[in-house]
Amino acid sequence: MEHKIVEDPTLLGYRRRLIRELSDRGIDDLNVLELFDKVPRHKFIPEGSRARSYEDSPLPIGYAQTASQPSLQALYISILQPEVNETILEIGTGCGFMTALLSHTAERVYSVERIRELSRRARKELDDLGINNVALMVGDGTIGWKKYAPYDVIIVSAASPDVPSALVNQLAENGRMLIPVGDRVRQELILVTKINGEISKETAHPACTFVPLIGEFGWNHTSGSPGEGN
Ligand code: SAH
């Protein structure tokens, strides 16, 4: 694998193989599959795991965090269907790969990450790829990002004990939010929508496992119990 990487620096062959795998896993939205062709995942994966960048698996990115599984990210985008004139709020920038995918689907992406170094690294890779419609912030995403609210789409890529009300409040009319809700081991993916001012919640996917959302309205960092806000 390492050897081939040297032969094919753009890794296009690997990207295509991942896309086939996503398609085999039931992702049939061509616009979504095309995003995985546009964004080189290996740029966002730290060296130690880089050779596995085009496997459909979560990968370590340092600071006890992970880059999410590509098929799950594809599912998120397939469900949320961001439009080119819409704005997205992402909670949990992580390595920035999802942020890069999203930057090609919407007008502007606002992304919050609690770990400064991850946000800094993501910024560098997004800049290197010439992506210029993304704003990053270091902070607690469980309270959202009020300054640019409301958002058409809200994507939470860390597991929450509940749906933080601040995020629901920052959802625009016709807005959609996906958030993994459950305990620290297993979650359901919950789709929250706002139509005619009315909030609805439904299960969009029965089982997934994300790293914990840590913050005022998420999990408490030390005790492993829900944070103060819950
Ligand atoms: N979309 C990312 C997934 C990263 S994992 C990717 O593709 O790599 C989830 C991220 O959420 C971690 O980096 C973690 O530090 C971050 N996170 C956890 N709680 C948070 C909070 N309250 N606010 C912002 N980011 C948070």
Side-chain angles (χ1 to χ4, degrees):
M1 183 115 181
E2 292 291 356
H3 180 61
K4 288 230 180 77
I5 285 176
V6 178
E7 280 176 3
D8 175 11
T10 64
L11 299 191
L12 206 60
Y14 286 94
R15 263 186 253 176
R16 298 276 154 84
R17 210 175 57 197
L18 172 61
I19 289 167
R20 256 200 311 276
E21 197 172 337
L22 298 179
S23 159
D24 289 347
R25 288 198 178 214
I27 304 296
D28 56 6
D29 184 326
L30 293 180
N31 293 325
V32 174
L33 293 174
E34 199 182 21
L35 294 173
F36 287 82
D37 205 14
K38 281 191 181 141
V39 184
R41 190 174 186 236
H42 67 280
K43 297 271 188 208
F44 295 90
I45 302 297
E47 218 169 280
S49 316
R50 194 164 294 150
R52 301 184 55 206
S53 300
Y54 293 94
E55 291 176 16
D56 183 29
S57 50
L59 292 173
I61 55 172
Y63 306 90
Q65 304 305 322
T66 53
S68 307
Q69 185 175 11
S71 53
L72 207 46
Q73 295 180 314
L75 180 70
Y76 262 73
I77 304 172
S78 304
I79 294 172
L80 292 167
Q81 293 290 326
E83 302 274 344
V84 286
N85 61 345
E86 291 188 322
T87 57
I88 301 179
L89 174 67
E90 178 188 41
I91 308 302
T93 317
C95 66
F97 175 64
M98 182 67 155
T99 323
L101 294 175
L102 296 171
S103 76
H104 292 287
T105 69
E107 185 166 305
R108 214 163 160 73
V109 182
Y110 299 88
S111 185
V112 185
E113 169 58 53
R114 61 180 283 274
I115 299 173
R116 184 172 299 278
E117 179 59 18
L118 288 177
S119 183
R120 195 191 61 78
R121 272 198 237 154
R123 173 85 277 160
K124 182 185 172 301
E125 298 308 334
L126 293 165
D127 286 349
D128 281 358
L129 291 175
I131 292 170
N132 58 13
N133 60 340
V134 167
L136 301 184
M137 179 176 80
V138 176
D140 177 8
T142 67
I143 57 170
W145 191 347
K146 219 169 173 184
K147 186 168 176 193
Y148 301 103
Y151 304 94
D152 302 297
V153 169
I154 299 181
I155 289 181
V156 184
S157 27
S160 182
D162 214 333
V163 181
S165 55
L167 296 182
V168 176
N169 293 340
Q170 291 177 25
L171 207 51
E173 179 59 28
N174 294 319
R176 295 86 71 200
M177 161 161 60
L178 271 178
I179 177 167
V181 175
D183 58 31
R184 288 176 81 127
V185 180
R186 214 158 175 73
Q187 306 91 35
E188 287 188 319
L189 207 51
I190 303 293
L191 174 67
V192 183
T193 51
K194 184 175 180 180
I195 297 164
N196 295 327
E198 208 158 296
I199 301 293
S200 313
K201 292 179 195 169
E202 62 185 276
T203 302
H205 190 65
C208 50
T209 300
F210 282 83
V211 296
L213 181 74
I214 293 168
E216 190 179 347
F217 296 94
W219 294 101
N220 186 304
H221 191 34
T222 46
S223 70
S225 56
E228 289 298 300
N230 283 280

